[in-house]
Amino acid sequence: MMMTLTEENYLKALFHLSVENPEVSVLDLSKSLDIKMPTVNSMVKKLASKGQVRYEKYKPLQLTEEGRRSAGLIIRKHRLVEMFLVEKMGFGWDEVHEVAEQLEHIRSPKLFRKIDEILNHPKTDPHGSPIPDEKGEIAVQNFVTLSEGSPGILYRFMAVGSSDDRFLRQIDRLGFKLGDTIRILETMDFDHSQQVIINEQIARSFSQQISANIRVVPA
């Protein structure tokens, strides 16, 4: 079923919110999109009429199976574009999000299959997020945030939790990249900042906000 750019953005936003919280309300969606409640409510009803969303008054919103597939395919296009821009066009990982936001709405399965082939079928995007398959299915990542980590344990940097270009540039300035190891030396009681060592060589101090957006696994 054909959908407008706006409808696709709503589905994608609902998908991302539901990853963090399975009980997403119209108010949550309104805040996420920065759109007034009556407008969001009207759009949700429209998406429900198209079989993309389950909507009942005063109950959490849910994507239908078809809605999850639709959202997954939009996210697939977005993340393939990001990977192509970084790997084949020399963009920085902090430069690709806005471009991908525009190109994800192109309706050409052949184009995105070709991009996937050129990239040799990547499993993740430049930020470490999983790329959904051609059915819109997305792999579950069992990562934790660095802020949840324990002192003394060696972790590997797998993904970021924010695509904000300011955050990504800050990570670059810290000399930190996906695949690096990180050991927490100490977490401060006052502000939850962390003293860490990268690749067992470089000492750094991370704010709580930075640590909360770094996704890791034990190394």
Side-chain angles (χ1 to χ4, degrees):
M1 180 181 292
M2 291 288 288
M3 287 187 291
T4 67
L5 181 152
T6 301
E7 289 170 341
E8 289 185 344
N9 284 338
Y10 270 76
L11 286 179
K12 188 176 66 169
L14 181 53
F15 179 93
H16 287 311
L17 287 171
S18 64
V19 170
E20 301 295 329
N21 175 17
E23 296 197 347
V24 180
S25 67
V26 173
L27 178 59
D28 293 330
L29 192 55
S30 172
K31 288 178 178 178
S32 174
L33 293 167
D34 194 24
I35 297 173
K36 293 180 179 179
M37 280 275 288
T39 303
V40 174
N41 205 53
S42 176
M43 177 58 75
V44 166
K45 290 178 179 178
K46 186 176 181 182
L47 288 169
S49 73
K50 291 187 173 185
Q52 303 290 316
V53 175
R54 293 189 184 92
Y55 170 75
E56 292 183 57
K57 200 171 183 179
Y58 305 123
K59 290 189 177 182
L61 300 172
Q62 289 184 321
L63 289 168
T64 62
E65 184 176 339
E66 181 60 27
R68 288 189 65 82
R69 177 179 178 278
S70 298
L73 291 175
I74 298 163
I75 293 166
R76 172 179 170 80
K77 291 188 287 184
H78 182 104
R79 292 178 177 172
L80 281 173
V81 167
E82 288 190 331
M83 199 65 173
F84 187 82
L85 291 172
V86 168
E87 292 293 317
K88 300 300 181 181
M89 299 189 71
F91 281 69
W93 71 337
D94 59 312
E95 300 176 304
V96 296
H97 180 72
E98 292 304 321
V99 179
E101 285 282 298
Q102 299 172 55
L103 298 182
E104 69 186 23
H105 301 290
I106 294 174
R107 293 184 174 87
S108 175
K110 183 177 180 180
L111 170 64
F112 292 98
R113 280 197 297 270
K114 191 64 177 177
I115 291 174
D116 191 29
E117 289 173 10
I118 290 170
L119 294 171
N120 196 27
H121 312 293
K123 298 300 182 185
T124 59
D125 72 4
H127 310 114
S129 298
I131 297 174
D133 64 20
E134 286 193 273
K135 295 180 180 179
E137 297 291 333
I138 188 165
V140 175
Q141 293 179 312
N142 295 313
F143 301 157
V144 296
T145 65
L146 188 64
S147 58
E148 298 172 300
S150 301
I153 304 297
L154 187 66
Y155 295 97
R156 190 167 302 280
F157 181 22
M158 301 300 294
V160 293
S162 171
S163 57
D164 188 305
D165 57 354
R166 297 167 300 177
F167 167 69
L168 297 174
R169 286 195 294 271
Q170 178 71 0
I171 292 295
D172 286 338
R173 283 193 290 269
L174 289 166
F176 197 34
K177 63 183 184 302
L178 297 184
D180 284 351
T181 61
I182 182 167
R183 191 184 300 275
I184 301 169
L185 302 178
E186 186 178 6
T187 299
M188 303 301 167
D189 290 335
F190 175 66
D191 60 0
H192 304 290
S193 62
Q194 293 179 320
Q195 303 302 313
V196 305
I197 187 162
I198 299 168
N199 294 329
E200 304 287 40
Q201 295 178 339
I202 306 168
R204 290 286 185 266
S205 178
F206 286 173
S207 70
Q208 192 276 335
Q209 188 173 4
I210 287 175
S211 294
N213 280 291
I214 291 174
R215 304 289 190 260
V216 297
V217 294

